[in-house]
Amino acid sequence: MSNNQGDMVIDEDVMRRCVGHVLPGVEDFSGLDTRFDEIGLDSMLLAELIVQLEEETDGMLDLHVTGRLETLRDLMLSLRPLREAE
Amino acid sequence: MAISSPLSFGQLSLWRNIENSSESQRGEVNLVHVWKVPAGPSTEDVVIALHSLSLRHEALRTTLEVQYGTEPRQIIAPSAVADFEVLRVAAGEEHLAVEATVARLDFHPFNILSDAPWKAVVIVSQGRPTDVVVTVHHIAADFWALGLLGADFRKLLKGPITETAPTPRDLAAEQRGPSWDKKRRAVRSYFHKIYSAADGGGGLPSSGVPVKASLHSGVALQGARELAAHLGITVPSVILAALGKAAADAIGVRTYLLNTMCANRFQSRDKNLVVSMNQWVPIICQAGQGRSFEESAQEIHRATLMAYRHGRYNPDERAEIREQLFPGGTPQPAEFHFNFTPNSSAGIAPDPTNMVRVVRERPSRTIGPRFMVAASEFGDLLVTARTMLDGFSEDHLVEYLTSVNNILSRYTV
């Protein structure tokens, strides 16, 4: 499973690399259904993870959440490329 | 030869916050810390380590050059600059000497246009250095950087550090260079969106007498934790929502900007940089509008998450956008400032039966925003609020803190 929108592609591999950057040693999390609190991702680290995903995808991202935001999958599916006008 | 460079956005933000401060306010933004000296090093070793620290981190030998009408620049001295003092005390008096030195250095009035932005006092007892009391002007370090300095000091006592430290001027060049074009455009767009949604009709009262009080409440922390777990959001987001709602109610505004402190330590280079990186980043909040407190807390959680990545910005550009939309002399939007400090007690269960206390305090600092609140978890929820608003008394502040407690404590099962 991945989130492909235009030039932006976020899949499990991208997520692993970025999580590993933010929380070294945690990149071997069990899967995208891993909850943030299971790996110690607090608000600041989540923000850091989004910044890292922006670096990895070479673009700016926006968050469109309609339901709960508790797992890496929720995060992956909530991200959209930020258009300049936004 | 000294090097001249633009300021990083964090340095410039700090300068803009203090540039109009009075002579008596000069020492208000210092950070003071005590480093224990392990057994072994001599007093000379400690002084050499402090000199090496100054050589290693440019922020410790940086002064500012300020000319009217232009952006200030940082001037980095080529050699170690510092003000070190050795204080010899009798055996058994080390602790008292440390306390007295902390009190003396806490408000040390640095002139950052001409002096090194830090000072250290080595406490020596029976010929052995026991402690170093260090005070650093906030423009040279934030709390994160203070931790880096302490770690480097301990390393330098053992020997030289071979890897070079990142520099604020490299960060400044990057932040103003082409690789940040997208980020800068996104931040400008973000501020434009935020201020466009703000309401100029509901600003804060003008400047008034500073008042300060604190709330200590186990039951509020318990409530915040239970609601956070129920909503699937973080405890700081719930607390932030309560602080914002109570502030809006206390001032009587419906739309307001809620500024949170962003540490901006995202990338590995930034994690090792000694300088002030903190910047206030706003989100827009609207009270009421048919939304429950729970829904507002969820919105604040998401908005804060995305706002943090806009935490590195040129403060002059933010001011320019605000000025365009809310020119001087016209009604201004209400802005509240909240800083949540996470700490290691997050896993400790609060005791909801603890007495809720609201303590009136004497404000010792008057620099900074007019409605500022700091919150942290220390077993209880500790909220310290300081306001400087015309007509907003100490009693109003106590009511505000009581309201924060009431909002959160009702979620305790």
Side-chain angles (χ1 to χ4, degrees):
Chain A
M1 171 175 255
S2 63
N3 181 353
N4 301 307
Q5 296 185 49
D7 293 338
M8 185 202 83
V9 179
I10 301 176
D11 58 16
E12 189 167 333
D13 285 342
V14 171
M15 194 60 93
R16 275 188 198 282
R17 277 199 297 279
C18 292
V19 169
H21 186 92
V22 173
L23 287 167
V26 181
E27 57 271 27
D28 57 348
F29 57 81
S30 57
L32 287 171
D33 289 322
T34 302
R35 293 170 53 91
F36 300 145
D37 54 6
E38 287 175 53
I39 53 174
L41 263 179
D42 60 17
S43 295
M44 286 306 292
L45 289 171
L46 257 179
E48 192 174 335
L49 177 58
I50 294 168
V51 170
Q52 197 54 42
L53 286 163
E54 287 180 333
E55 297 285 323
E56 183 85 19
T57 58
D58 195 26
M60 300 296 291
L61 300 172
D62 206 357
L63 192 65
H64 292 251
V65 187
T66 49
R68 291 170 81 90
L69 181 64
E70 293 179 290
T71 67
L72 294 171
R73 187 186 306 279
D74 296 340
L75 176 65
M76 183 180 83
L77 296 177
S78 301
L79 292 167
R80 306 270 184 279
L82 181 72
R83 291 186 298 275
E84 291 279 328
E86 292 177 317
Chain B
M1 194 172 151
I3 299 166
S4 169
S5 154
L7 302 187
S8 68
F9 292 162
Q11 288 172 302
L12 186 57
S13 278
L14 198 287
W15 171 250
R16 291 300 182 218
N17 287 336
I18 63 168
E19 65 180 326
N20 295 319
S21 58
S22 66
E23 189 81 12
S24 62
Q25 291 174 311
R26 239 196 227 169
E28 288 191 12
V29 294
N30 296 347
L31 306 178
V32 183
H33 208 71
V34 181
W35 297 334
K36 295 300 288 182
V37 180
S42 66
T43 303
E44 192 187 358
D45 293 335
V46 170
V47 172
I48 289 171
L50 292 170
H51 271 284
S52 303
L53 204 58
S54 174
L55 272 179
R56 176 168 170 70
H57 294 292
E58 286 190 354
L60 298 182
R61 42 195 168 84
T62 293
T63 52
L64 257 54
E65 183 180 71
V66 179
Q67 287 177 344
Y68 182 74
T70 62
E71 227 187 61
R73 294 181 69 82
Q74 54 179 319
I75 308 297
I76 302 131
S79 54
V81 179
D83 182 359
F84 302 142
E85 189 183 318
V86 175
L87 182 64
R88 296 178 198 282
V89 301
E93 290 185 4
E94 303 87 348
H95 184 68
L96 283 176
V98 166
E99 272 187 5
T101 308
V102 166
R104 175 162 63 93
L105 296 190
D106 197 9
F107 284 86
H108 181 77
F110 289 107
N111 182 348
I112 55 171
L113 304 184
S114 59
D115 304 337
W118 75 306
K119 180 177 171 66
V121 176
V122 185
I123 310 289
V124 178
S125 172
Q126 295 181 294
R128 191 184 88 72
T130 60
D131 304 88
V132 177
V133 182
V134 59
T135 183
V136 187
H137 190 284
H138 198 354
I139 202 162
D142 48 27
F143 278 106
W144 181 291
L146 203 56
L148 294 174
L149 287 173
D152 276 1
F153 169 69
R154 286 186 289 278
K155 282 185 204 163
L156 287 164
L157 285 176
K158 294 176 183 163
I161 300 174
T162 48
E163 68 270 24
T164 53
T167 64
R169 66 190 152 101
D170 283 346
L171 176 64
E174 189 183 313
Q175 289 179 328
R176 293 154 191 275
S179 69
W180 271 55
D181 280 350
K182 266 188 199 168
K183 286 190 179 82
R184 287 196 306 269
R185 278 201 301 274
V187 172
R188 275 197 297 270
S189 169
Y190 179 74
F191 281 125
H192 202 272
K193 194 166 85 179
I194 293 286
Y195 280 111
S196 295
D199 175 10
L204 296 181
S206 54
S207 278
V209 177
V211 288
K212 187 178 175 187
S214 60
L215 163 72
H216 306 250
S217 172
V219 69
L221 181 56
Q222 182 69 24
R225 285 186 182 173
E226 288 181 18
L227 182 59
H230 174 67
L231 298 176
I233 63 176
T234 60
V235 174
S237 295
V238 171
I239 294 170
L240 194 59
L243 297 173
K245 180 184 169 14
D249 290 346
I251 301 298
V253 295
R254 298 189 64 75
T255 304
Y256 54 97
L257 270 69
L258 207 160
N259 288 273
T260 54
M261 182 62 82
C262 189
N264 288 323
R265 299 284 177 172
F266 293 122
Q267 275 129 359
S268 49
R269 185 266 318 270
D270 301 344
K271 285 183 163 67
N272 293 308
L273 181 59
V274 169
V275 75
S276 181
M277 299 279 281
N278 295 345
Q279 291 188 262
W280 293 108
V281 61
I283 59 170
I284 188 89
C285 295
Q286 286 173 325
Q289 308 278 334
R291 272 188 299 268
S292 65
F293 175 72
E294 293 86 338
E295 287 167 327
S296 296
Q298 282 172 312
E299 278 181 18
I300 284 176
H301 177 67
R302 291 168 198 150
T304 308
L305 212 53
M306 293 313 288
Y308 280 143
R309 86 214 149 111
H310 294 306
R312 297 162 294 176
Y313 60 86
N314 186 328
D316 291 349
E317 289 190 350
R318 174 178 176 171
E320 193 182 301
I321 291 167
R322 182 182 162 129
E323 174 69 22
Q324 277 169 9
L325 293 165
F326 297 98
T330 66
Q332 299 290 306
E335 298 211 29
F336 303 118
H337 292 76
F338 299 117
N339 186 15
F340 188 88
T341 312
N343 70 75
S344 56
S345 82
I348 300 171
D351 182 354
T353 62
N354 276 357
M355 178 117 45
V356 175
R357 287 179 298 134
V358 177
V359 182
R360 294 165 195 253
E361 298 180 24
R362 204 168 131 254
S364 55
R365 289 171 158 82
T366 53
I367 282 186
R370 284 182 287 149
F371 196 116
M372 189 159 76
V373 182
S376 57
E377 296 176 53
F378 285 99
D380 286 355
L381 174 66
L382 169 61
V383 178
T384 304
R386 189 211 58 197
T387 57
M388 296 181 289
L389 302 170
D390 187 34
F392 199 80
S393 66
E394 201 176 67
D395 288 343
H396 289 114
L397 198 56
V398 168
E399 274 175 40
Y400 164 70
L401 292 170
T402 307
S403 168
V404 170
N405 183 62
N406 292 343
I407 291 170
L408 293 174
S409 55
R410 69 190 153 107
Y411 292 101
T412 307
V413 175

